[in-house]
Amino acid sequence: FKILEEGIALSPSDVDAVWVNGYGFPKWRGGPMYYADNDLEGKLPYLLSRLEYYYNKYPNCPHFKPSSLLIECVEKDISLSKLWKNKMTPIH
C-alpha cells in the first residue's frame, strides 16, 4: 500500500508484477495487491489492527506504520482496486 501512496508504483498491478517476477511471490496468488483484494476480502481490518499493534510496540520501525491507503480502505470498507480506480479517475 505504501509504495502506491508514495508514488513509487503507478498501479497495484505494477506492484504485483514486481513481486511475482522479481521477488518470487507465488504466481497463483496473483501478487500481493491482487491477493489483498481477493483472498483477504474482509480481512483488511485485521491486517490494519496488527500493523497498528506492531507500530505501537515498535514506534521506531516505520515499516509497521499503516499506510493511509490501507486506513482509507478499512474506513470505507472498500477494496484497494476499487479505491485506486476512484482515485485515478479524473473528475471533469
Coordinates of all heavy atoms in Angstrom, one line a residue:
F1 N 0.8 -1.2 0.0 CA 0.0 0.0 0.0 C 0.9 1.3 0.0 O 0.6 2.2 -0.7 CB -0.9 0.0 1.2 CG -2.1 -1.0 1.1 CD1 -1.9 -2.3 1.5 CD2 -3.3 -0.6 0.7 CE1 -3.0 -3.2 1.4 CE2 -4.4 -1.5 0.6 CZ -4.2 -2.8 0.9
K2 N 1.9 1.2 0.8 CA 2.8 2.5 0.9 C 3.5 2.8 -0.4 O 3.6 4.0 -0.7 CB 3.8 2.3 2.0 CG 3.3 2.5 3.4 CD 4.4 2.5 4.4 CE 3.8 2.6 5.8 NZ 4.9 2.6 6.8
I3 N 3.9 1.8 -1.2 CA 4.6 2.1 -2.4 C 3.6 2.8 -3.4 O 4.1 3.6 -4.2 CB 5.1 0.7 -3.0 CG1 6.2 1.0 -4.1 CG2 4.0 -0.1 -3.6 CD1 7.0 -0.2 -4.5
L4 N 2.4 2.6 -3.4 CA 1.4 3.3 -4.2 C 1.2 4.7 -3.6 O 1.2 5.7 -4.4 CB 0.0 2.6 -4.2 CG 0.0 1.2 -4.9 CD1 -1.3 0.5 -4.6 CD2 0.2 1.4 -6.4
E5 N 1.0 4.8 -2.3 CA 0.8 6.0 -1.6 C 2.0 7.0 -1.9 O 1.8 8.2 -2.1 CB 0.7 5.7 -0.2 CG 0.4 6.9 0.7 CD 0.3 6.4 2.2 OE1 -0.7 5.6 2.4 OE2 1.1 6.7 3.0
E6 N 3.2 6.5 -1.9 CA 4.4 7.3 -2.1 C 4.7 7.6 -3.6 O 5.6 8.3 -3.9 CB 5.6 6.6 -1.5 CG 5.4 6.6 0.0 CD 6.5 5.7 0.7 OE1 7.3 5.0 0.0 OE2 6.5 5.7 1.9
G7 N 3.9 7.0 -4.5 CA 4.0 7.3 -5.9 C 5.2 6.5 -6.6 O 5.6 6.8 -7.7
I8 N 5.7 5.6 -5.9 CA 6.8 4.8 -6.4 C 6.3 3.8 -7.5 O 6.9 3.6 -8.6 CB 7.5 4.0 -5.3 CG1 8.2 5.0 -4.4 CG2 8.6 3.0 -5.9 CD1 8.7 4.4 -3.1
A9 N 5.1 3.3 -7.3 CA 4.4 2.4 -8.3 C 3.2 3.2 -8.8 O 2.6 3.9 -8.0 CB 4.0 1.1 -7.7
L10 N 2.9 3.0 -10.0 CA 1.7 3.7 -10.6 C 0.4 3.0 -10.4 O -0.6 3.7 -10.4 CB 2.0 4.0 -12.1 CG 3.2 4.8 -12.5 CD1 3.3 4.9 -14.0 CD2 3.0 6.2 -11.9
S11 N 0.4 1.7 -10.2 CA -0.8 1.0 -10.0 C -0.6 -0.3 -9.2 O 0.6 -0.7 -9.1 CB -1.4 0.6 -11.4 OG -0.6 -0.4 -12.0
P12 N -1.6 -0.8 -8.6 CA -1.5 -2.1 -7.9 C -0.9 -3.2 -8.7 O -0.1 -4.0 -8.3 CB -2.9 -2.4 -7.4 CG -3.6 -1.1 -7.3 CD -3.0 -0.3 -8.5
S13 N -1.3 -3.2 -10.0 CA -0.7 -4.3 -10.9 C 0.8 -4.1 -11.1 O 1.5 -5.1 -11.3 CB -1.5 -4.3 -12.2 OG -1.3 -3.1 -12.9
D14 N 1.3 -2.9 -11.0 CA 2.8 -2.7 -11.1 C 3.4 -3.4 -9.9 O 4.5 -4.1 -10.1 CB 3.1 -1.3 -11.1 CG 2.7 -0.6 -12.4 OD1 2.5 -1.2 -13.4 OD2 2.7 0.7 -12.4
V15 N 2.8 -3.2 -8.7 CA 3.4 -3.8 -7.5 C 3.4 -5.4 -7.7 O 4.3 -6.0 -7.4 CB 2.6 -3.4 -6.3 CG1 3.1 -4.1 -5.0 CG2 2.7 -1.9 -6.1
D16 N 2.2 -5.9 -8.1 CA 2.1 -7.3 -8.3 C 3.1 -7.9 -9.3 O 3.8 -8.9 -9.0 CB 0.7 -7.7 -8.8 CG -0.3 -7.5 -7.7 OD1 0.0 -7.5 -6.5 OD2 -1.5 -7.5 -8.1
A17 N 3.4 -7.2 -10.4 CA 4.3 -7.6 -11.4 C 5.7 -7.7 -10.8 O 6.5 -8.7 -11.1 CB 4.3 -6.7 -12.6
V18 N 6.1 -6.8 -10.0 CA 7.4 -6.8 -9.4 C 7.6 -7.9 -8.4 O 8.6 -8.7 -8.4 CB 7.8 -5.4 -8.7 CG1 9.0 -5.5 -7.9 CG2 7.9 -4.3 -9.8
W19 N 6.5 -8.1 -7.6 CA 6.6 -9.1 -6.6 C 6.6 -10.5 -7.2 O 7.3 -11.4 -6.7 CB 5.5 -9.0 -5.5 CG 5.9 -8.0 -4.5 CD1 5.8 -6.6 -4.5 CD2 6.6 -8.3 -3.3 NE1 6.3 -6.1 -3.4 CE2 6.8 -7.1 -2.6 CE3 7.1 -9.5 -2.7 CZ2 7.5 -7.0 -1.4 CZ3 7.7 -9.4 -1.5 CH2 7.9 -8.2 -0.8
V20 N 5.8 -10.7 -8.2 CA 5.7 -12.1 -8.8 C 6.9 -12.4 -9.6 O 7.5 -13.5 -9.5 CB 4.4 -12.2 -9.7 CG1 4.4 -13.4 -10.6 CG2 3.1 -12.2 -8.8
N21 N 7.4 -11.4 -10.4 CA 8.5 -11.7 -11.3 C 9.9 -11.4 -10.7 O 10.9 -12.0 -11.2 CB 8.3 -10.8 -12.6 CG 7.1 -11.3 -13.4 OD1 6.9 -12.4 -13.7 ND2 6.2 -10.3 -13.7
G22 N 9.9 -10.6 -9.7 CA 11.2 -10.2 -9.1 C 11.5 -10.8 -7.7 O 12.6 -11.2 -7.4
Y23 N 10.5 -11.0 -6.9 CA 10.7 -11.4 -5.6 C 10.2 -12.8 -5.3 O 10.3 -13.3 -4.2 CB 10.1 -10.4 -4.6 CG 10.7 -9.1 -4.6 CD1 9.9 -7.9 -4.8 CD2 12.0 -8.9 -4.4 CE1 10.4 -6.7 -4.8 CE2 12.6 -7.6 -4.4 CZ 11.8 -6.5 -4.6 OH 12.3 -5.3 -4.6
G24 N 9.6 -13.4 -6.3 CA 9.1 -14.8 -6.1 C 7.8 -15.0 -5.4 O 7.5 -16.1 -4.9
F25 N 7.0 -13.9 -5.3 CA 5.6 -14.1 -4.7 C 4.9 -15.1 -5.6 O 5.0 -15.2 -6.8 CB 4.9 -12.8 -4.8 CG 3.7 -12.7 -3.9 CD1 3.7 -12.3 -2.6 CD2 2.4 -13.1 -4.4 CE1 2.6 -12.3 -1.8 CE2 1.3 -13.0 -3.7 CZ 1.4 -12.6 -2.3
P26 N 4.2 -16.1 -4.9 CA 3.5 -17.1 -5.7 C 2.6 -16.6 -6.8 O 1.7 -15.8 -6.6 CB 2.7 -17.9 -4.6 CG 3.3 -17.5 -3.3 CD 3.9 -16.1 -3.5
K27 N 2.9 -17.0 -8.0 CA 2.1 -16.6 -9.2 C 0.6 -16.9 -9.0 O -0.2 -16.2 -9.5 CB 2.7 -17.2 -10.5 CG 4.0 -16.6 -10.9 CD 4.5 -17.2 -12.2 CE 5.8 -16.6 -12.5 NZ 6.4 -17.1 -13.7
W28 N 0.4 -18.1 -8.4 CA -1.0 -18.5 -8.3 C -1.8 -17.6 -7.4 O -3.0 -17.6 -7.4 CB -1.1 -19.9 -7.9 CG -0.5 -20.3 -6.6 CD1 0.8 -20.6 -6.4 CD2 -1.1 -20.3 -5.3 NE1 1.1 -20.9 -5.1 CE2 -0.1 -20.7 -4.4 CE3 -2.3 -20.0 -4.8 CZ2 -0.3 -20.8 -3.0 CZ3 -2.6 -20.2 -3.5 CH2 -1.6 -20.5 -2.6
R29 N -1.1 -16.7 -6.6 CA -1.8 -15.8 -5.7 C -2.0 -14.4 -6.5 O -2.8 -13.6 -6.0 CB -0.9 -15.5 -4.5 CG -0.8 -16.6 -3.5 CD -1.5 -16.3 -2.2 NE -1.3 -17.3 -1.2 CZ -2.3 -18.0 -0.7 NH1 -3.5 -17.8 -1.0 NH2 -2.0 -18.9 0.2
G30 N -1.3 -14.2 -7.6 CA -1.6 -13.1 -8.4 C -0.8 -11.8 -8.0 O -0.9 -10.8 -8.6
G31 N 0.0 -11.9 -6.9 CA 0.7 -10.7 -6.4 C 0.0 -10.2 -5.1 O -1.1 -10.5 -4.9
P32 N 0.8 -9.5 -4.3 CA 0.2 -9.1 -3.0 C -1.0 -8.2 -3.1 O -1.9 -8.2 -2.2 CB 1.4 -8.4 -2.3 CG 2.3 -8.1 -3.4 CD 2.1 -9.0 -4.5
M33 N -1.0 -7.3 -4.1 CA -2.2 -6.4 -4.2 C -3.5 -7.2 -4.6 O -4.5 -7.0 -4.1 CB -1.9 -5.3 -5.2 CG -0.7 -4.4 -4.8 SD -0.9 -3.4 -3.4 CE -0.1 -4.3 -2.1
Y34 N -3.3 -8.1 -5.6 CA -4.4 -8.9 -6.0 C -4.8 -9.8 -4.9 O -6.0 -10.0 -4.6 CB -4.0 -9.8 -7.2 CG -5.1 -10.6 -7.7 CD1 -6.0 -10.1 -8.7 CD2 -5.2 -11.9 -7.3 CE1 -7.0 -10.9 -9.1 CE2 -6.2 -12.7 -7.7 CZ -7.1 -12.2 -8.7 OH -8.1 -13.0 -9.1
Y35 N -3.9 -10.3 -4.2 CA -4.2 -11.2 -3.0 C -5.0 -10.4 -2.0 O -5.9 -10.9 -1.4 CB -2.9 -11.8 -2.4 CG -3.0 -12.6 -1.2 CD1 -3.6 -13.9 -1.4 CD2 -2.6 -12.2 0.0 CE1 -3.8 -14.7 -0.3 CE2 -2.7 -13.1 1.1 CZ -3.3 -14.3 1.0 OH -3.5 -15.1 2.1
A36 N -4.5 -9.2 -1.7 CA -5.2 -8.4 -0.7 C -6.7 -8.1 -1.1 O -7.6 -8.1 -0.3 CB -4.5 -7.1 -0.5
D37 N -6.9 -7.9 -2.4 CA -8.2 -7.6 -2.9 C -9.1 -8.8 -2.9 O -10.3 -8.7 -2.7 CB -8.2 -7.1 -4.3 CG -8.1 -5.6 -4.4 OD1 -8.2 -4.9 -3.3 OD2 -7.9 -5.0 -5.5
N38 N -8.6 -10.0 -3.2 CA -9.4 -11.2 -3.4 C -9.4 -12.2 -2.2 O -10.4 -12.5 -1.7 CB -9.0 -11.9 -4.7 CG -9.2 -11.0 -5.9 OD1 -10.4 -10.8 -6.3 ND2 -8.2 -10.3 -6.4
D39 N -8.2 -12.6 -1.9 CA -8.1 -13.7 -0.8 C -8.2 -13.1 0.6 O -8.5 -13.8 1.5 CB -6.8 -14.5 -1.0 CG -6.8 -15.3 -2.2 OD1 -7.9 -15.4 -2.9 OD2 -5.7 -15.7 -2.6
L40 N -8.0 -11.8 0.7 CA -8.1 -11.2 2.1 C -9.3 -10.4 2.2 O -9.4 -9.6 3.1 CB -6.8 -10.3 2.3 CG -5.5 -11.0 2.5 CD1 -4.4 -10.0 2.7 CD2 -5.5 -12.0 3.6
E41 N -10.3 -10.6 1.3 CA -11.5 -9.8 1.4 C -12.1 -9.9 2.8 O -12.3 -10.9 3.3 CB -12.5 -10.3 0.3 CG -13.7 -9.5 0.2 CD -14.7 -9.9 -0.9 OE1 -14.2 -10.6 -1.8 OE2 -15.8 -9.6 -0.8
G42 N -12.4 -8.7 3.3 CA -12.9 -8.7 4.7 C -11.9 -8.8 5.8 O -12.2 -8.7 7.0
K43 N -10.6 -9.0 5.4 CA -9.6 -9.2 6.4 C -8.7 -8.0 6.5 O -7.7 -8.0 7.3 CB -8.8 -10.4 6.1 CG -9.6 -11.7 6.2 CD -8.9 -12.9 5.9 CE -9.8 -14.1 5.9 NZ -9.2 -15.3 5.3
L44 N -8.9 -6.9 5.7 CA -8.1 -5.8 5.8 C -8.1 -5.1 7.2 O -7.1 -4.6 7.7 CB -8.4 -4.8 4.7 CG -8.0 -5.2 3.3 CD1 -8.3 -4.1 2.3 CD2 -6.5 -5.6 3.2
P45 N -9.3 -5.1 7.9 CA -9.3 -4.5 9.2 C -8.4 -5.3 10.2 O -7.7 -4.7 11.0 CB -10.8 -4.7 9.7 CG -11.5 -4.6 8.4 CD -10.7 -5.4 7.4
Y46 N -8.3 -6.6 10.0 CA -7.4 -7.4 10.8 C -5.9 -7.0 10.5 O -5.1 -6.8 11.4 CB -7.6 -8.9 10.6 CG -6.6 -9.7 11.4 CD1 -6.8 -9.9 12.8 CD2 -5.6 -10.4 10.8 CE1 -5.8 -10.6 13.5 CE2 -4.7 -11.1 11.5 CZ -4.8 -11.3 12.9 OH -3.9 -12.0 13.6
L47 N -5.6 -6.9 9.2 CA -4.3 -6.5 8.8 C -3.9 -5.1 9.4 O -2.8 -5.0 10.0 CB -4.1 -6.5 7.3 CG -2.8 -5.9 6.7 CD1 -1.7 -6.8 7.1 CD2 -3.0 -5.8 5.2
L48 N -4.8 -4.2 9.3 CA -4.6 -2.9 9.9 C -4.4 -2.9 11.4 O -3.5 -2.3 11.9 CB -5.8 -1.9 9.6 CG -5.7 -0.5 10.2 CD1 -4.5 0.2 9.7 CD2 -7.0 0.2 9.8
S49 N -5.2 -3.7 12.1 CA -5.1 -3.8 13.6 C -3.7 -4.4 13.9 O -3.1 -4.0 14.9 CB -6.2 -4.6 14.2 OG -6.1 -6.0 13.9
R50 N -3.2 -5.4 13.2 CA -1.9 -6.0 13.5 C -0.8 -5.0 13.2 O 0.2 -4.9 14.0 CB -1.7 -7.2 12.7 CG -2.7 -8.3 13.0 CD -2.9 -8.6 14.5 NE -1.7 -9.1 15.1 CZ -1.4 -9.0 16.4 NH1 -2.3 -8.5 17.2 NH2 -0.3 -9.4 16.9
L51 N -0.9 -4.2 12.1 CA 0.1 -3.2 11.9 C 0.2 -2.1 12.9 O 1.2 -1.7 13.4 CB -0.1 -2.6 10.5 CG 0.3 -3.4 9.3 CD1 -0.2 -2.7 8.0 CD2 1.8 -3.6 9.3
E52 N -1.0 -1.7 13.4 CA -1.1 -0.7 14.4 C -0.5 -1.2 15.7 O 0.2 -0.5 16.4 CB -2.6 -0.3 14.7 CG -3.1 0.5 13.5 CD -4.6 0.8 13.6 OE1 -5.4 0.0 14.2 OE2 -5.1 1.8 13.0
Y53 N -0.8 -2.5 16.0 CA -0.2 -3.1 17.2 C 1.3 -3.1 17.2 O 1.9 -2.7 18.1 CB -0.7 -4.6 17.3 CG 0.0 -5.4 18.4 CD1 -0.3 -5.2 19.7 CD2 1.0 -6.2 18.0 CE1 0.4 -5.9 20.7 CE2 1.7 -6.9 19.0 CZ 1.4 -6.8 20.3 OH 2.1 -7.5 21.3
Y54 N 1.9 -3.5 16.1 CA 3.3 -3.6 16.0 C 3.9 -2.2 15.9 O 5.0 -2.0 16.4 CB 3.8 -4.5 14.8 CG 3.6 -5.9 15.2 CD1 2.6 -6.7 14.5 CD2 4.4 -6.5 16.1 CE1 2.5 -8.0 14.9 CE2 4.3 -7.9 16.5 CZ 3.3 -8.6 15.8 OH 3.2 -9.9 16.2
Y55 N 3.2 -1.3 15.3 CA 3.8 0.1 15.2 C 3.8 0.7 16.6 O 4.7 1.4 17.0 CB 3.0 0.9 14.2 CG 3.6 2.3 14.0 CD1 4.8 2.5 13.5 CD2 2.9 3.5 14.4 CE1 5.4 3.7 13.3 CE2 3.4 4.7 14.2 CZ 4.7 4.8 13.7 OH 5.2 6.1 13.5
N56 N 2.7 0.5 17.4 CA 2.7 1.0 18.8 C 3.8 0.3 19.6 O 4.4 0.9 20.5 CB 1.3 0.8 19.4 CG 0.3 1.7 18.8 OD1 0.6 2.8 18.4 ND2 -0.9 1.3 18.7
K57 N 4.0 -1.0 19.4 CA 5.0 -1.7 20.1 C 6.4 -1.3 19.7 O 7.3 -1.2 20.6 CB 4.8 -3.2 19.9 CG 5.7 -4.1 20.8 CD 5.3 -5.5 20.7 CE 6.1 -6.3 21.7 NZ 5.6 -7.7 21.8
Y58 N 6.6 -1.0 18.4 CA 7.9 -0.7 17.9 C 7.8 0.6 17.1 O 8.0 0.6 15.9 CB 8.5 -1.8 17.0 CG 8.5 -3.1 17.7 CD1 7.6 -4.1 17.3 CD2 9.5 -3.4 18.6 CE1 7.6 -5.4 17.9 CE2 9.5 -4.7 19.2 CZ 8.6 -5.6 18.9 OH 8.6 -6.8 19.5
P59 N 7.6 1.8 17.8 CA 7.4 3.0 17.1 C 8.6 3.5 16.3 O 8.5 4.4 15.4 CB 7.1 4.0 18.2 CG 7.6 3.4 19.4 CD 7.6 1.9 19.2
N60 N 9.8 3.0 16.5 CA 11.0 3.4 15.8 C 11.1 2.6 14.5 O 12.1 2.7 13.8 CB 12.2 3.3 16.6 CG 12.2 4.3 17.8 OD1 11.7 5.4 17.6 ND2 12.7 3.9 18.9
C61 N 10.2 1.7 14.2 CA 10.2 0.9 13.0 C 9.1 1.4 12.0 O 8.0 0.9 12.1 CB 10.0 -0.6 13.3 SG 11.3 -1.4 14.3
P62 N 9.5 2.3 11.2 CA 8.5 2.9 10.3 C 7.8 2.0 9.3 O 6.7 2.3 8.9 CB 9.2 4.0 9.6 CG 10.7 3.6 9.6 CD 10.8 2.8 10.9
H63 N 8.4 0.8 9.1 CA 7.7 -0.1 8.1 C 6.4 -0.7 8.7 O 5.6 -1.3 8.0 CB 8.7 -1.2 7.6 CG 9.3 -2.0 8.7 ND1 10.4 -1.7 9.3 CD2 8.9 -3.2 9.2 CE1 10.7 -2.6 10.2 NE2 9.8 -3.6 10.1
F64 N 6.2 -0.6 10.0 CA 5.0 -1.0 10.7 C 3.9 0.0 10.6 O 2.7 -0.3 10.9 CB 5.2 -1.5 12.1 CG 5.9 -2.8 12.3 CD1 7.1 -2.8 13.1 CD2 5.5 -3.9 11.6 CE1 7.7 -4.0 13.2 CE2 6.2 -5.1 11.8 CZ 7.3 -5.2 12.6
K65 N 4.2 1.3 10.3 CA 3.2 2.3 10.3 C 2.2 2.1 9.2 O 2.6 2.0 8.0 CB 3.9 3.7 10.1 CG 2.9 4.8 10.2 CD 3.5 6.2 10.0 CE 2.5 7.3 10.1 NZ 3.1 8.6 9.9
P66 N 0.9 1.9 9.5 CA 0.0 1.6 8.4 C -0.1 2.8 7.4 O 0.0 4.0 7.8 CB -1.4 1.5 9.2 CG -1.0 1.2 10.6 CD 0.3 1.9 10.8
S67 N -0.3 2.4 6.2 CA -0.4 3.5 5.1 C -1.8 4.1 5.2 O -2.8 3.5 5.6 CB -0.2 2.9 3.8 OG -1.3 2.1 3.3
S68 N -1.9 5.3 4.7 CA -3.2 6.0 4.7 C -4.1 5.3 3.7 O -5.3 5.3 3.9 CB -3.0 7.5 4.4 OG -2.4 7.7 3.1
L69 N -3.6 4.7 2.7 CA -4.4 3.9 1.7 C -5.1 2.7 2.4 O -6.3 2.5 2.2 CB -3.6 3.4 0.5 CG -3.3 4.4 -0.6 CD1 -2.5 3.7 -1.6 CD2 -4.6 4.9 -1.2
L70 N -4.4 2.0 3.2 CA -4.9 0.9 4.0 C -6.0 1.4 4.9 O -7.1 0.8 5.0 CB -3.8 0.1 4.7 CG -4.3 -1.0 5.6 CD1 -5.1 -2.1 4.8 CD2 -3.1 -1.7 6.3
I71 N -5.7 2.5 5.6 CA -6.6 3.0 6.6 C -7.9 3.4 5.9 O -9.0 3.2 6.3 CB -6.0 4.2 7.3 CG1 -4.9 3.7 8.2 CG2 -7.1 5.0 8.1 CD1 -4.0 4.8 8.8
E72 N -7.8 4.1 4.7 CA -8.9 4.5 3.9 C -9.8 3.4 3.4 O -11.0 3.4 3.5 CB -8.5 5.4 2.8 CG -9.6 6.1 2.1 CD -9.1 7.1 1.0 OE1 -7.9 7.3 0.9 OE2 -10.0 7.6 0.3
C73 N -9.1 2.3 3.0 CA -9.8 1.1 2.5 C -10.7 0.5 3.7 O -11.8 0.2 3.5 CB -8.8 0.0 2.0 SG -8.1 0.3 0.4
V74 N -10.1 0.5 4.9 CA -10.8 -0.1 6.0 C -11.9 0.8 6.4 O -13.0 0.4 6.7 CB -9.8 -0.3 7.2 CG1 -10.6 -0.7 8.4 CG2 -8.8 -1.4 6.8
E75 N -11.7 2.1 6.5 CA -12.7 3.1 6.9 C -13.9 3.1 5.9 O -15.0 3.2 6.4 CB -12.1 4.5 7.0 CG -11.2 4.7 8.2 CD -10.6 6.1 8.3 OE1 -10.6 6.8 7.3 OE2 -10.0 6.4 9.3
K76 N -13.6 3.0 4.6 CA -14.7 3.0 3.6 C -15.2 1.6 3.3 O -16.1 1.5 2.5 CB -14.2 3.6 2.4 CG -13.9 5.1 2.5 CD -13.4 5.7 1.2 CE -13.2 7.2 1.4 NZ -12.8 7.9 0.1
D77 N -14.6 0.6 3.9 CA -15.0 -0.8 3.6 C -15.0 -1.1 2.1 O -16.0 -1.5 1.6 CB -16.3 -1.2 4.3 CG -16.6 -2.7 4.3 OD1 -15.6 -3.4 4.2 OD2 -17.8 -3.0 4.3
I78 N -13.8 -0.8 1.5 CA -13.7 -0.9 0.1 C -12.4 -1.6 -0.3 O -11.4 -1.5 0.5 CB -13.8 0.5 -0.6 CG1 -13.9 0.4 -2.1 CG2 -12.7 1.4 -0.2 CD1 -14.2 1.7 -2.8
S79 N -12.3 -2.3 -1.4 CA -11.1 -3.0 -1.8 C -10.1 -1.9 -2.3 O -10.5 -0.8 -2.7 CB -11.4 -4.0 -2.8 OG -11.7 -3.4 -4.1
L80 N -8.8 -2.3 -2.3 CA -7.8 -1.4 -2.8 C -8.1 -1.1 -4.3 O -8.0 0.0 -4.7 CB -6.4 -2.0 -2.7 CG -5.3 -1.2 -3.3 CD1 -5.2 0.2 -2.7 CD2 -4.0 -2.0 -3.2
S81 N -8.4 -2.1 -5.1 CA -8.6 -1.9 -6.5 C -9.8 -0.9 -6.8 O -9.7 0.0 -7.6 CB -8.9 -3.2 -7.3 OG -10.0 -3.8 -6.8
K82 N -10.8 -1.0 -6.0 CA -12.0 0.0 -6.2 C -11.5 1.4 -5.7 O -11.8 2.4 -6.4 CB -13.2 -0.5 -5.4 CG -13.8 -1.7 -6.0 CD -15.0 -2.1 -5.2 CE -15.6 -3.4 -5.8 NZ -16.7 -4.0 -5.0
L83 N -10.8 1.5 -4.6 CA -10.4 2.7 -4.1 C -9.4 3.4 -5.1 O -9.5 4.6 -5.4 CB -9.7 2.6 -2.7 CG -9.2 3.9 -2.1 CD1 -10.3 4.8 -1.7 CD2 -8.3 3.5 -0.9
W84 N -8.5 2.6 -5.6 CA -7.5 3.1 -6.5 C -8.1 3.6 -7.8 O -7.8 4.6 -8.4 CB -6.4 2.0 -6.8 CG -5.2 2.6 -7.5 CD1 -4.8 2.5 -8.8 CD2 -4.2 3.4 -6.9 NE1 -3.7 3.2 -9.0 CE2 -3.3 3.8 -7.8 CE3 -4.1 3.9 -5.6 CZ2 -2.2 4.6 -7.6 CZ3 -2.9 4.7 -5.3 CH2 -2.0 5.0 -6.3
K85 N -9.1 2.8 -8.3 CA -9.8 3.2 -9.5 C -10.5 4.5 -9.3 O -10.5 5.4 -10.2 CB -10.8 2.1 -9.9 CG -11.5 2.4 -11.2 CD -12.5 1.3 -11.6 CE -13.2 1.6 -12.9 NZ -14.2 0.6 -13.2
N86 N -11.1 4.7 -8.2 CA -11.8 6.0 -7.9 C -10.8 7.2 -7.8 O -11.1 8.3 -8.2 CB -12.6 5.9 -6.6 CG -13.8 5.0 -6.7 OD1 -14.3 4.7 -7.8 ND2 -14.3 4.5 -5.6
K87 N -9.7 6.9 -7.2 CA -8.6 7.9 -7.0 C -8.0 8.3 -8.4 O -7.7 9.5 -8.6 CB -7.5 7.5 -6.1 CG -7.9 7.5 -4.6 CD -6.7 7.2 -3.8 CE -7.0 7.4 -2.3 NZ -7.3 8.7 -1.9
M88 N -7.9 7.4 -9.3 CA -7.2 7.6 -10.5 C -8.2 8.1 -11.6 O -7.7 8.5 -12.7 CB -6.5 6.4 -11.0 CG -5.4 5.9 -10.0 SD -4.3 7.3 -9.4 CE -3.4 7.6 -10.9
T89 N -9.5 8.1 -11.4 CA -10.4 8.5 -12.4 C -10.5 10.0 -12.4 O -10.8 10.6 -11.3 CB -11.8 7.9 -12.1 OG1 -11.7 6.5 -12.1 CG2 -12.8 8.3 -13.2
P90 N -10.2 10.7 -13.5 CA -10.2 12.2 -13.5 C -11.7 12.7 -13.3 O -12.6 12.1 -13.8 CB -9.7 12.6 -14.8 CG -9.4 11.3 -15.6 CD -9.8 10.1 -14.7
I91 N -11.8 13.7 -12.5 CA -13.1 14.4 -12.3 C -13.2 15.5 -13.3 O -12.3 16.4 -13.3 CB -13.2 14.8 -10.9 CG1 -13.1 13.6 -9.9 CG2 -14.6 15.6 -10.7 CD1 -13.1 14.0 -8.5
H92 N -14.2 15.6 -14.1 CA -14.4 16.6 -15.1 C -15.4 17.7 -14.6 O -16.3 17.5 -13.9 CB -14.9 16.1 -16.4 CG -13.9 15.1 -17.0 ND1 -12.7 15.4 -17.4 CD2 -14.0 13.8 -17.2 CE1 -12.1 14.4 -17.9 NE2 -12.8 13.3 -17.8

